[in-house]
Amino acid sequence: MLTSVRPTHILARITAALLGGYGFTWGCAALSVSGMTAFGMSYEQAHTATMLVAFLIFLCAFLWSFVDTNIVRVWSVLAGGGALMTGLAWWLQRLLIG
Amino acid sequence: MFANFRLSMTWLHTWFGLVLGYVLMACFFFGALSVFDREIDRWAIPDTRFPAQPMPSFDTVLKPIFEKLRAHPDDMEATAERVIGPLPHPDTMPMSSLYAYTTHRDPLLGIGGEFDIPNRPKDPSDDHLHVHGYATIDPRTGAILSDDHLKIGSEFFYPLHYSLHFHWLDLGYWIVGLAAMIMLVALASGVIMHRKLFRELFTFRPNKSTQRSVLDLHNLTGVVALPFHFFFALTGLIIFSSIYLPLSETMLKPLAQRHEILEAERTGLPHEPAGVTAPLASVDAMVLEAKRRWDVRGMPGEVGYLYIDHLGDKNSHVSVFRAGSDQIATVGQGVHFEAATGRVIREDPPPNAVTAVNDYLAGLHLQQFRHWLLRWLYVLGGLAGCACIATGFIFFVEKRKRQHAKVGDGGARIVDALAVTTVTGMVIATSSILIANRLLTTDLPMRGDWEERVFWCAWIVALLHALWRTTPVLRARIAPAWREQCWAIALLAVTAVLLNWITTGDHLVATISQRYWPVAGLDLSLLVTAVIAIAAARSLGRRERAGVGSANGNDDSDMETAHA
């Protein structure tokens, strides 16, 4: 069963898990920090709280990218979601800094 | 891609575990040794075998030393690469901040400072325009310890477990971070695949009991210590989150900088110097006042961390933090003073929930508190992690070596050779640096660098030996490399103990009767390592003689090499 796995598929999964997962985690963390800051929490607290859960989010994203049967969905959620959240976080920061 | 969920988890566990397992072995093993990093330092630097000292007087002891402290040549070199134009002479650089740090286990005191430079950075966003100076001093005399003395525990083993001493592009940190993520992945996927795999075990045939005992030990050490492994991998990532997710340094820098300014306003601790010179009042008086305030709060204690910012400026402030010997968080209960007058600016309130949780998790990982039983449990937990990873390698090899032998595939042999290198080879390298430490002459320039070279060379020799002596794996036999390196460990460990005796006179009878545990503890640990290595070597020898496919049920002792 395992020998039938094609190298390109494996490569797509591994890069999705590592790079996609990282991008998604980055976006999540950035949005979480700027979001909580926007809601009045101090930046330091928002940052600390985010870092406590960020790597667990990475873990879930990582595992999911190997579990989901549809690699296109994996890539679009991780990369697309990551980019979207990063953009939102950037926009929120601009609002906050003024 | 995979037929089902469980298979995808098995694939993840097997292949990611295999590739990053070698790094994880080093993280767990040297992390376990770091629990006793200061004690290993005492063994390695015999001149420092004296009891732990409290923070000395700033006014009489530290102040004259800080006046002598200059930017460190290593950091001068590193900074010169980041800035435009030549750096000024170290004697002319003004010191802008300083610190001193100690714990209940430190006879020596670590001090350091930042020196301002006029140079512009090559990268405009680089706002760290300081050169660092640092030194280790004997607080009884104020003498500065020579840089040539390598603190093998806290300067070599400890950074090895999170940076691999591979500093180019911070790559060592990133590899360790990836390995920590994979540890989390391996634990999660291991739990998911565990039940079914366990059932599959009973259907394995020719070498049933070898494989099973290896897998049993793999599961046992993985599952029993699962919270421990998960905790250390996760908190390791959290502690270095500013490297792995540098939001405040990059994308969210504007928000982070605004916070710093707001925070300075809120706490009354000036963020910037005023540009007006001012003298420094008695720091000893400030320390006394801080201690008085800790007494009032019902938590008398010693100073763990002393920090002075904006030195010589009107806005300079002195922060005195209490050593966390009796609490999980490393330091805390800061009291802040105006440097020029000694007036209390602020006493830190109890931390908020988020900070408290973070301090607790980081503190539990860094364990600077006083609890010797827990300290030893940490070592056992770390070694259990090593045993878990090592048995994972061996299971990988055992499961495949017959199949590989049949089709002439060298994969199992390579994995076995690398496993030998990271299990027994790592202990050989560790014993070798201790031996080098006792054999090199004390006045050898750059002595520490030579000790490090011996460590890496010994590890490379272990790798070459492992590659050479694993050829029998190609015929599905046990590699003699394991047994031979176990004998090498036994020999080296005993040699290290004897050399400590010969070169310092501190033999075990003396150190135990004086209850000097830093040195007695390491000597005893080395002897226990030797005993385990001999037992493992003999057991392996019996099994090699018994030939291929032997299935003596009771062979757990082989795996004890992982404990060594």
Side-chain angles (χ1 to χ4, degrees):
Chain A
M1 273 172 294
L2 289 179
T3 48
S4 67
V5 177
R6 291 234 307 270
T8 47
H9 288 183
I10 286 286
L11 201 67
R13 294 279 166 176
I14 292 175
T15 48
L18 289 174
L19 303 178
Y22 183 80
F24 186 81
T25 309
W26 177 279
C28 247
L31 185 59
S32 159
V33 174
S34 54
M36 284 198 275
T37 311
F39 276 104
M41 203 186 231
S42 88
Y43 176 85
E44 194 183 5
Q45 267 197 67
H47 184 266
T48 308
T50 299
M51 290 307 150
L52 291 177
V53 291
F55 300 100
L56 296 175
I57 292 170
F58 196 170
L59 174 62
C60 294
F62 195 105
L63 292 175
W64 176 66
S65 58
F66 273 84
V67 168
D68 197 303
T69 48
N70 187 344
I71 183 71
V72 178
R73 180 166 55 210
V74 170
W75 262 112
S76 16
V77 169
L78 293 183
L84 187 70
M85 289 187 291
T86 305
L88 269 174
W90 185 78
W91 174 75
L92 262 178
Q93 174 173 244
R94 282 202 47 171
L95 280 186
L96 286 169
I97 297 293
Chain B
M1 176 176 81
F2 299 106
N4 60 43
F5 175 59
R6 196 184 57 77
L7 273 181
S8 66
M9 289 297 113
T10 307
W11 190 92
L12 258 185
H13 188 93
T14 306
W15 295 102
F16 274 103
L18 180 71
V19 174
L20 272 311
Y22 301 111
V23 181
L24 283 171
M25 273 297 285
C27 300
F28 270 84
F29 183 68
F30 291 108
L33 293 187
S34 302
V35 171
F36 287 109
D37 58 348
R38 277 136 171 111
E39 288 70 20
I40 296 172
D41 290 349
R42 302 292 77 76
W43 194 98
I45 311 175
D47 288 348
T48 66
R49 293 178 183 177
F50 56 87
Q53 304 290 315
M55 183 75 75
S57 154
F58 185 90
D59 298 348
T60 58
V61 179
L62 293 182
K63 203 174 177 186
I65 297 171
F66 275 113
E67 275 158 15
K68 279 187 288 180
L69 187 70
R70 293 289 178 270
H72 197 279
D74 290 351
D75 203 51
M76 286 283 286
E77 209 175 295
T79 310
E81 283 172 20
R82 288 195 292 113
V83 298
I84 300 163
L87 288 170
H89 191 274
D91 287 346
T92 64
M93 292 181 189
M95 190 191 282
S96 58
S97 75
L98 65 81
Y99 73 85
Y101 179 69
T102 192
T103 75
H104 67 100
R105 289 156 59 224
D106 278 301
L108 303 177
L109 179 73
I111 62 165
E114 285 183 326
F115 297 85
D116 283 343
I117 48 173
N119 307 58
R120 300 207 138 277
K122 283 180 184 162
D123 170 6
S125 68
D126 181 355
D127 53 7
H128 186 85
L129 289 176
H130 300 286
V131 188
H132 296 265
Y134 35 87
T136 306
I137 64 160
D138 181 343
R140 303 169 309 175
T141 61
I144 294 176
L145 194 77
S146 162
D147 266 354
D148 289 341
H149 292 292
L150 178 65
K151 294 195 263 320
I152 291 181
S154 57
E155 276 180 352
F156 189 69
F157 292 159
Y158 173 59
L160 181 57
H161 103 280
Y162 59 77
S163 75
L164 308 174
H165 289 294
F166 184 27
H167 292 294
W168 183 65
L169 296 178
D170 277 347
L171 219 51
Y173 290 90
W174 282 95
I175 294 169
V176 170
L178 176 61
M181 270 315 297
I182 295 308
M183 186 73 198
L184 300 181
V185 169
L187 289 169
S189 56
V191 168
I192 295 164
M193 63 194 265
H194 180 256
R195 238 182 90 195
K196 186 66 187 290
L197 250 187
F198 190 74
R199 205 188 308 158
E200 276 179 353
L201 255 174
F202 295 95
T203 62
F204 282 151
R205 275 155 301 267
N207 204 7
K208 189 163 112 183
S209 55
T210 305
Q211 237 168 311
R212 202 176 85 192
S213 55
V214 169
L215 190 59
D216 281 350
L217 198 57
H218 183 63
N219 292 339
L220 181 78
T221 49
V223 173
V224 168
L226 188 122
F228 178 92
H229 302 327
F230 197 91
F231 173 85
F232 275 88
L234 180 62
T235 49
L237 288 164
I238 294 172
I239 288 169
F240 285 111
S241 59
S242 65
I243 289 181
Y244 299 135
L245 285 171
L247 286 169
S248 305
E249 292 75 13
T250 56
M251 188 185 142
L252 297 183
K253 198 170 178 175
L255 264 186
Q257 284 177 335
R258 188 189 68 159
H259 169 76
E260 275 185 27
I261 292 161
L262 289 175
E263 194 65 4
E265 278 169 22
R266 192 177 69 80
T267 58
L269 302 176
H271 186 247
E272 295 295 330
V276 180
T277 53
L280 178 62
S282 164
V283 175
D284 287 356
M286 300 181 212
V287 167
L288 269 179
E289 172 61 15
K291 284 185 174 175
R292 190 191 66 77
R293 285 173 178 246
W294 296 331
D295 279 345
V296 170
R297 283 164 78 166
M299 47 195 326
E302 288 295 326
V303 179
Y305 184 62
L306 183 81
Y307 177 72
I308 309 181
D309 202 4
H310 310 314
L311 270 168
D313 188 89
K314 195 164 107 15
N315 276 354
S316 176
H317 50 93
V318 178
S319 299
V320 184
F321 294 91
R322 181 176 171 279
S325 312
D326 56 353
Q327 63 184 27
I328 302 288
T330 50
V331 291
Q333 294 86 36
V335 186
H336 310 273
F337 301 85
E338 192 173 63
T341 60
R343 172 183 70 87
V344 175
I345 303 174
R346 168 188 164 82
E347 187 173 342
D348 284 343
N352 59 59
V354 171
T355 311
V357 169
N358 186 61
D359 288 354
Y360 187 86
L361 294 179
L364 213 48
H365 188 125
L366 299 168
Q367 38 92 44
Q368 301 289 314
F369 46 82
R370 190 196 303 269
H371 197 309
W372 296 101
L373 175 64
L374 196 57
R375 211 161 264 283
W376 274 105
L377 288 177
Y378 273 41
V379 174
L380 291 182
L383 294 182
C386 292
C388 181
I389 300 159
T391 46
F393 293 145
I394 295 165
F395 178 72
F396 184 98
V397 173
E398 288 296 315
K399 192 175 164 184
R400 286 164 182 78
K401 70 180 182 189
R402 265 162 216 82
Q403 180 61 25
H404 284 192
K406 219 176 287 172
V407 300
D409 184 339
R413 182 260 182 113
I414 299 288
V415 170
D416 205 37
L418 292 174
V420 170
T421 312
T422 39
V423 180
T424 49
M426 189 156 62
V427 186
I428 287 174
T430 305
S431 314
S432 300
I433 194 175
L434 295 178
I435 290 175
N437 170 272
R438 292 294 81 228
L439 283 182
L440 294 170
T441 52
T442 37
D443 53 354
L444 179 73
M446 311 293 277
R447 188 177 191 269
D449 292 0
W450 285 105
E451 291 171 43
E452 292 183 28
R453 277 176 207 136
V454 168
F455 175 89
W456 298 113
C457 286
W459 210 343
I460 289 167
V461 169
L463 168 68
L464 295 176
H465 172 261
L467 286 170
W468 169 43
R469 295 292 282 161
T470 45
T471 40
V473 177
L474 293 172
R475 299 186 302 278
R477 287 166 177 269
I478 300 174
W482 286 102
R483 176 176 46 82
E484 289 161 4
Q485 296 210 358
C486 281
W487 284 117
I489 290 172
L491 185 71
L492 293 169
V494 171
T495 307
V497 175
L498 289 176
L499 282 174
N500 176 44
W501 177 4
I502 294 166
T503 55
T504 69
D506 290 345
H507 52 79
L508 267 169
V509 178
T511 49
I512 292 175
S513 61
Q514 291 159 18
R515 297 178 181 275
Y516 191 61
W517 295 115
V519 169
L522 182 52
D523 276 347
L524 285 172
S525 303
L526 283 165
L527 292 180
V528 169
T529 304
V531 169
I532 294 171
I534 291 169
R538 289 170 60 100
S539 167
L540 282 163
R542 276 196 299 278
R543 300 211 21 229
E544 277 173 51
R545 281 191 300 278
V548 201
S550 73
N552 310 324
N554 186 18
D555 57 4
D556 278 5
S557 58
D558 307 3
M559 301 317 121
E560 302 233 319
T561 47
H563 288 291

